[in-house]
Structure formats: C-alpha cells, structure tokens
Amino acid sequence: SGIAPDAVDKALAGAQIDQKVLKMDRAQGVFRQTFLEFSKRTVSGARYQIGKKKMEQYAGVFAKAEQETGVPAAVISAFWAMETDFGAVQGDFNTRNALVTLSNDCRRPEVFRPQLIALIKLASLNDIDPQTTTGAWAGEIGQTQMLPEDIIKYGEDGDGDGLVRLKDSAPDVILTTARFLAGLGFKRGEPWLQEVKLPETLPYEKSGLGGTMTAGDWFNLGVTPRNGDKSAAALNASLVLPQGRFGPAFLAYPNFNVYLEWNQSLVYTLSAAYFATRFAGAEPYDPGNPEPGLSVEDMKVLQEKLDAKSHDVGKIDGILGSGTRAAVQKVQAELGMPADGWPTAALLAAMK
C-alpha cells in the first residue's frame, strides 16, 4: 500500500490481540427494542438541548459544511448526538489493537485489514497515536465514530491546525462528517424524513422501504404531512410504519438511504433521522397507540412458521429485522389482514 516499513513497525509496535473485541464481535446483535422504546431513550430532551447549543456555538462551521456539501446542521448534529453524546462517550478500546484483532480473526478479516492499513496511514500523518488512540470495539474513531478509511477519504481540518482530529476537535468532526454523508449520497436541499397522518383505509401492502411511489401518490391516497408541507410531492417516498398502522408514521425520502448506509438497523436509522427533523424544527412525533408486539419467544415461533413457508427471515433470533418484516407483510396480505408489516398476536394466531 505504499507505506514505509519503519512507519508500519512503529504503528504496530506492542500490538496485542484483544479478547474483549472478539467477545463483542461474537455477541453483537441488532436492536430488540421497538422504535418507540429506542427513540424515547435516545432522542432525549437533554440531548436535544445540548444539540441546539452546539448548533449555535459552531454556527459558522455548520454553515461552511452545508455550503460545501449540502448536508445541513440538523443531520450532522443528530448523528453526533446518537453516536457519542457529542463526544462524551467515544469508546475505550485501543483502536490499533481492535483492528489488529479483527484483521487476524478468521470470521471476516477482509473487512478489517484495509482499515488497519488506513490506521497506519493516519498514524504516519500524525492524525492519531496508535499507542493511545481509543474508540469503539470495531475500530471506529471519534465523535461520530468513523472508520480509518473514511477518515482518510473524507477527513477535513476544520480548525486550521493541519490535522484531522475527530476525537477532540468539533470543527474537524462537523466538516468531516458532512463530507462523509455527502459521499454516501446525501442530496442538497431535499428532505430525509417527514411525519405523516394516515387515513382510515390505505393499501398497506404498498408500505415499507423500497417502494416506487412518490410522496404525491401517498398524498393522493389521503396520507397527510403533520406539518402541512407537500413541497416534496415529486420525490420518491416510502411509507414507513415501524410499529404498524396504529403507531408513528413517516414518509422516507431518497436521502433516508444515507442513514441506511450508515447503519442497517431500521430502529436506529429512523431514530437518527427523526432526531434530525427535530433539530430542523419538527414537532415531537405522535406515538399513536400501536398494537402490542410479540415477545422474543413468540417472535421466534413466528419466524419458524414463516421459514417453514419458505420466507427468508434469516436467523431465527426473535428480532424483527428487514427479512422478517417483509415476510410478515406478505403473509398479512395473503391472510386478508392489513399488511403493515407489524407482527401481532392476531397474526400468530391466524398462522396457527
């Protein structure tokens, strides 16, 4: 990769396998909390107030970031809050050791070896000290938890010290995160998420991510933005019902795909996108009155029944992932039930 041998030796001196990293890698799982549970915990009043103060404190930097990339302060601030509480909780794993461990581990070394090489490059640029730099267990660094390759590609010196310091320089964090999000495809001037109200009847089988309808199509069916803004009618939009037709409802626009590139969990991404709308001036969502979901054990029973019907739900783990949600929606439609993708006791009983 063009790195001098002495730079490699210096960066790797004293490197050790970290058994705690391997334990985290083996034990990781997606969210078992519902959207309402997770978002109420993470999109807190305290985080909101801190975020508003940060947006005022660094208004000039945020303005520069939006001018350069099209990514607004609200979007950056939401990720900043969700990932590390604005830098308060960045992780205490030695980043070099974490990447050495995962690069040497047989499960998926091809994912982490390029990140280890990128970390050595960052060390040669003096942007990090491999002996002391800490972060998340999977090698993410800084206040918005970015991997070394992305730091090299998108890193920007925001405070003029000649370095990209994502652990302790807010201007560096803001500009680098903006460039990263733009690199993931964020489109200037377009929305990412909009809360909506639903009519009494709707073709729920058309809901869910990946649809081909426009926001205007949904408006014509009686879906109404809570803020009354229909200016994005021409954009493609998916109707997202994280807890079914009686819970919160959102239109997800093309910019929401950037959130899914950041993290594949719908619960996390929807919470982060919603938080960004709050920073942009939206009111708190209407939680509605969703039907009770299934317990972990009942969810596993449902997944087994779906799997027996040749639906791809992935691992039988009691987690409502994208595969299980899609399968639920198909079976609901087959049974003549509202196909909103939310598994309930009524669905499980109908399948029995």
Side-chain angles (χ1 to χ4, degrees):
S1 298
I3 306 174
D6 59 342
V8 177
D9 292 340
K10 182 179 179 181
L12 295 180
Q16 297 179 346
I17 295 296
D18 189 336
Q19 293 297 328
K20 291 183 180 179
V21 169
L22 292 176
K23 184 177 179 180
M24 294 292 290
D25 184 53
R26 298 295 188 268
Q28 66 169 321
V30 294
F31 295 95
R32 279 195 167 90
Q33 292 177 309
T34 66
F35 167 71
L36 286 178
E37 290 169 340
F38 184 77
S39 62
K40 285 179 179 178
R41 179 173 64 83
T42 56
V43 185
S44 65
R47 276 182 169 176
Y48 176 76
Q49 293 302 325
I50 293 172
K52 295 297 285 186
K53 290 179 181 178
K54 295 287 186 183
M55 290 169 68
E56 293 177 5
Q57 181 181 359
Y58 298 105
V61 183
F62 279 118
K64 180 183 179 183
E66 185 166 10
Q67 182 181 18
E68 291 181 352
T69 67
V71 182
V75 172
I76 301 167
S77 296
F79 279 119
W80 198 3
M82 296 284 287
E83 290 291 335
T84 67
D85 263 334
F86 302 99
V89 185
Q90 299 186 40
D92 57 3
F93 289 86
N94 178 274
T95 302
R96 189 270 316 277
N97 288 349
L99 290 174
V100 164
T101 300
L102 295 167
S103 296
N104 183 66
D105 175 41
C106 64
R107 195 169 81 89
R108 46 177 182 161
E110 71 284 349
V111 173
F112 292 99
R113 287 174 181 169
Q115 300 298 341
L116 178 58
I117 292 170
L119 186 84
I120 297 170
K121 290 181 179 178
L122 286 175
S124 68
L125 295 171
N126 295 319
D127 285 340
I128 64 118
D129 178 355
Q131 306 296 331
T132 60
T133 296
T134 56
W137 67 265
E140 299 95 340
I141 302 169
Q143 298 187 27
T144 50
Q145 299 285 272
M146 292 179 61
L147 287 166
E149 276 196 318
D150 295 322
I151 296 172
I152 286 178
K153 185 174 182 179
Y154 298 108
E156 184 169 346
D157 173 20
D159 56 18
D161 67 354
L163 302 172
V164 177
R165 298 178 298 112
L166 300 186
K167 288 185 67 66
D168 51 18
S169 171
D172 292 5
V173 169
I174 293 166
L175 291 174
T176 299
T177 305
R179 291 189 66 202
F180 178 54
L181 291 168
L184 292 179
F186 194 94
K187 297 180 181 178
R188 182 186 301 270
E190 292 188 8
W192 52 93
L193 193 74
Q194 183 179 36
E195 188 185 2
V196 292
K197 296 182 291 185
L198 305 181
E200 291 187 5
T201 60
L202 202 64
Y204 291 106
E205 67 277 4
K206 296 181 181 296
S207 66
L209 294 172
T212 59
M213 296 174 65
T214 65
D217 294 332
W218 288 112
F219 298 155
N220 290 336
L221 289 171
V223 173
T224 307
R226 279 194 71 196
N227 63 2
D229 183 4
K230 295 185 177 182
S231 61
L235 294 177
N236 286 339
S238 297
L239 179 64
V240 181
L241 308 172
Q243 289 182 237
R245 65 195 187 281
F246 297 125
F250 303 91
L251 286 181
Y253 291 97
N255 270 340
F256 186 71
N257 292 330
V258 171
Y259 287 83
L260 294 171
E261 289 288 334
W262 186 292
N263 189 306
Q264 294 182 352
S265 165
L266 180 63
V267 169
Y268 176 93
T269 53
L270 203 58
S271 297
Y274 161 66
F275 205 173
T277 67
R278 294 281 289 115
F279 282 133
E283 295 295 320
Y285 59 58
D286 179 0
N289 188 27
E291 295 178 86
L294 298 177
S295 67
V296 172
E297 292 307 314
D298 282 345
M299 185 70 79
K300 288 181 179 179
V301 173
L302 177 64
Q303 288 176 320
E304 289 171 353
K305 292 184 176 297
L306 292 170
D307 183 69
K309 291 180 175 293
S310 301
H311 292 285
D312 183 11
V313 299
K315 184 179 179 181
I316 307 299
D317 54 9
I319 296 171
L320 182 58
S322 58
T324 300
R325 194 180 287 270
V328 165
Q329 196 168 24
K330 289 179 182 178
V331 171
Q332 286 173 326
E334 292 170 1
L335 294 173
M337 305 173 73
D340 60 5
W342 179 241
T344 63
L347 173 64
L348 186 56
M351 292 192 70
K352 289 181 179 179

